[in-house]
Amino acid sequence: MQKKERWKQVYYKVPQQKSLTVAVFIGPDHICEFTSFLSKKNTFARHSILGKPLQKVQSAFGGEEVYKLVVRVYKTGRMHIDPRISPNVSSTGRLNRNKEIFLQSIYQPLKDEKSRIYGVMIVVVDITGFILARKQTESANKRLLTTNKHLRLLSESVPHKIFTITPAGEIDYFNQAWVEYLNPGTKD
């Protein structure tokens, strides 16, 4: 009994996860067995979708494209990771113009103990934090490259000898003033 209660807790807490959304479709008709795509507040809509074929309720899950992907994964048995990242869509599927949100969709075939496909699970993960961090890193790298170019230009234009050394003690840069000092005949 304790194992069953623990499973129930996990099963019912999945829909409450803000960064993870799940839907399970069973059989060749892709009957909706479970979904957390709709908020808990909208239990009527969730109950009107459960037990129905995906083809009849596909609009609740993103339309015909989602249906086609579920059919393909069911037929091929191969997982599909949607390479497109959907911006500005909340986990309930609504457009959110006020906040930048990025979602990644994974379509996973469900197999029984004999490796026969009996369904498809869609997992949508909120990867907004990763995308925004990558954008910040790219922006910081661009600023760093620009700063580095400015410093190199400045170091080449002053008459002082400038060099940099790696942590291992190797010289990895020296300016034109050093070249002219070490090789006096090379000045243009």
Side-chain angles (χ1 to χ4, degrees):
M1 186 68 175
Q2 199 175 25
K3 190 175 181 181
K4 186 178 179 181
E5 288 301 315
R6 193 171 44 217
W7 169 245
K8 248 172 108 174
Q9 286 178 344
V10 171
Y11 186 79
Y12 288 108
K13 285 189 178 185
V14 168
Q16 297 171 2
Q17 301 301 315
K18 291 181 180 178
S19 62
L20 178 70
T21 306
V22 178
V24 176
F25 302 97
I26 303 297
D29 292 329
H30 316 295
I31 305 298
C32 183
E33 184 73 25
F34 174 81
T35 182
S36 63
F37 273 74
L38 301 170
S39 67
K40 277 201 146 188
K41 294 175 188 172
N42 199 349
T43 53
F44 174 76
R46 181 177 295 154
H47 289 295
S48 68
I49 289 172
L50 291 175
K52 301 240 171 86
L54 175 58
Q55 192 169 21
K56 291 187 178 179
V57 293
Q58 62 186 336
S59 62
F61 296 99
E64 188 177 354
E65 188 175 345
V66 170
Y67 174 73
K68 286 179 179 178
L69 283 169
V70 168
V71 169
R72 188 174 92 203
V73 169
Y74 187 82
K75 285 181 179 178
T76 65
R78 291 197 324 256
M79 177 177 67
H80 173 78
I81 298 175
D82 198 338
R84 293 167 296 133
I85 298 170
S86 310
N88 300 332
V89 178
S90 71
S91 59
T92 59
R94 293 195 180 121
L95 189 62
N96 187 343
R97 291 183 177 91
N98 300 326
K99 186 178 179 189
E100 197 169 30
I101 299 173
F102 296 90
L103 304 174
Q104 181 75 61
S105 302
I106 303 162
Y107 296 74
Q108 176 70 44
L110 300 173
K111 298 179 181 181
D112 64 16
E113 60 279 348
K114 293 182 180 179
S115 293
R116 293 179 297 207
I117 299 165
Y118 69 89
V120 175
M121 177 172 52
I122 303 173
V123 179
V124 180
V125 182
D126 182 349
I127 57 170
T128 304
F130 297 111
I131 298 294
L132 295 179
R134 186 177 72 196
K135 285 181 175 184
Q136 287 176 340
T137 301
E138 288 169 358
S139 176
N141 283 341
K142 285 180 184 176
R143 288 192 310 270
L144 187 60
L145 285 172
T146 302
T147 300
N148 195 14
K149 285 179 185 176
H150 287 113
L151 287 173
R152 294 275 173 153
L153 184 64
L154 178 64
S155 71
E156 291 297 333
S157 64
V158 296
H160 306 288
K161 294 179 247 354
I162 298 174
F163 64 94
T164 58
I165 300 176
T166 66
E170 298 172 1
I171 297 174
D172 63 348
Y173 169 77
F174 50 89
N175 70 348
Q176 189 62 34
W178 269 110
V179 173
E180 292 168 5
Y181 176 74
L182 296 172
N183 300 316
T186 60
K187 190 174 182 181
D188 295 334

